[in-house]
Amino acid sequence: PSTPDPATGPSPSAAGAPHPASLTGVTHPLKAALGSNLYRKLLAIRLTGQAGDGMLQSALATFVLFSPERQASASAIAAAFAILALPYSLIGPFTGVLLDRWRRQRVLFWGNLARAASMGPVIYFTAQGNSGVGLGVSVLAAIGINRFVLAGLSAAVPLTVPDSSLT
């Protein structure tokens, strides 16, 4: 018989305990969730939405803050960060209440449609080279709608995966 290493203690096989890989009937929660077709659709919507939101934020930061023609002031930088943070404060308190009252499928459909439509004014103002109030309000609306949609996606996860995966 081998002697156990005092630093690590006895190995699981030496103690008679089964190796974790040999446990039957146990599925990792992520594997079970990814087995759900609905969950994979929600995940794809979330990933594309957050990727689009990240591209919007980085493009606008480049357009407004790092453009040599505009030479952003301290107040412009503060306004840009306020626009990025306001959706959490303005929409956050009402999101749960509204999501509980409306069907999540409709929220996701109309929210994504509104999010796509909200890009129109953003595109218009940036094409005109306008980094003023109109662009700020348009970006605030676009990010606010995206936050609402992402909360709806999170609220829909329990409806798409087995209860055993919700740990």
Side-chain angles (χ1 to χ4, degrees):
S2 65
T3 52
D5 183 7
T8 60
S11 66
S13 60
H19 190 274
S22 68
L23 297 175
T24 57
V26 177
T27 304
H28 192 276
L30 181 60
K31 185 177 179 183
L34 289 174
S36 167
N37 195 24
L38 292 173
Y39 179 78
R40 287 194 308 270
K41 286 180 183 179
L42 284 179
L43 183 61
I45 293 168
R46 174 177 284 282
L47 291 176
T48 56
Q50 286 188 301
D53 191 35
M55 285 187 273
L56 170 69
Q57 290 179 16
S58 62
L60 289 171
T62 301
F63 177 72
V64 175
L65 302 178
F66 303 121
S67 175
E69 303 89 40
R70 288 180 184 71
Q71 296 182 356
S73 64
S75 61
I77 295 170
F81 283 115
I83 287 171
L84 294 178
L86 273 175
Y88 293 105
S89 303
L90 295 177
I91 296 171
F94 307 106
T95 302
V97 174
L98 294 174
L99 287 174
D100 287 342
R101 305 239 184 268
W102 299 333
R103 291 190 56 198
R104 284 171 180 83
Q105 185 178 12
R106 287 187 181 161
V107 168
L108 294 177
F109 175 77
W110 290 108
N112 279 313
L113 196 61
R115 180 169 44 175
S118 71
M119 289 296 116
V122 173
I123 293 168
Y124 172 77
F125 287 120
T126 54
Q128 297 296 320
N130 184 349
S131 61
V133 175
L135 179 64
V137 170
S138 300
V139 170
L140 183 63
I143 294 174
I145 292 168
N146 190 41
R147 296 294 176 240
F148 193 77
V149 168
L150 292 176
L153 288 169
S154 295
V157 167
L159 303 173
T160 62
V161 297
D163 289 339
S164 61
S165 297
L166 299 173
T167 56

